[in-house]
Amino acid sequence: MNADGIAHELNTPLQFVGDNLRFTGRGISELGRWFRAVDDLVEAARTGSVDPKLLERLDTVRRDADIDYLLGELPVAIEQALEGVERAAAVVGAMKADALREDTA
């Protein structure tokens, strides 16, 4: 396999990994916003004075971050990134096997 073919075979799964990791990073950031809002609400509840604005903020963050979507899709994105890593590793393994065959021929 020539360098262009190798680059293509590696680029596809690596692009897949990169896309999924970028999505995961954004999702984790959104979940962080959600958890900070929850922490603020819990702290207010401990003091006995929950401002209705905290509940509104929580609803806004949940809606804007689409928490339910993230909770469903983040595990999928991680699994897909791992599959991409496995595919790239398989390409590298095949290249090594070809190199060994050439060395012993």
Side-chain angles (χ1 to χ4, degrees):
M1 182 180 291
N2 65 23
D4 286 341
I6 293 168
H8 176 74
E9 290 297 319
L10 286 174
N11 190 49
T12 300
L14 291 176
Q15 182 67 41
F16 196 61
V17 169
D19 290 346
N20 280 287
L21 290 176
R22 278 186 286 282
F23 171 77
T24 300
R26 287 189 306 271
I28 289 170
S29 177
E30 290 298 317
L31 288 174
R33 286 182 50 225
W34 165 254
F35 286 123
R36 284 188 293 280
V38 169
D39 284 345
D40 291 346
L41 180 62
V42 168
E43 187 58 35
R46 283 192 180 118
T47 65
S49 61
V50 175
D51 184 339
K53 290 181 182 183
L54 282 175
L55 292 172
E56 290 174 25
R57 178 174 159 232
L58 201 60
D59 288 340
T60 299
V61 170
R62 182 179 188 85
R63 183 185 62 250
D64 291 351
D66 202 352
I67 297 297
D68 293 331
Y69 173 76
L70 290 175
L71 291 175
E73 292 300 315
L74 283 170
V76 173
I78 292 169
E79 185 62 35
Q80 289 176 345
L82 291 171
E83 288 172 15
V85 168
E86 290 171 5
R87 287 171 49 190
V91 170
V92 170
M95 289 170 33
K96 286 181 178 180
D98 286 347
L100 284 173
R101 280 192 294 275
E102 289 175 8
D103 286 346
T104 59

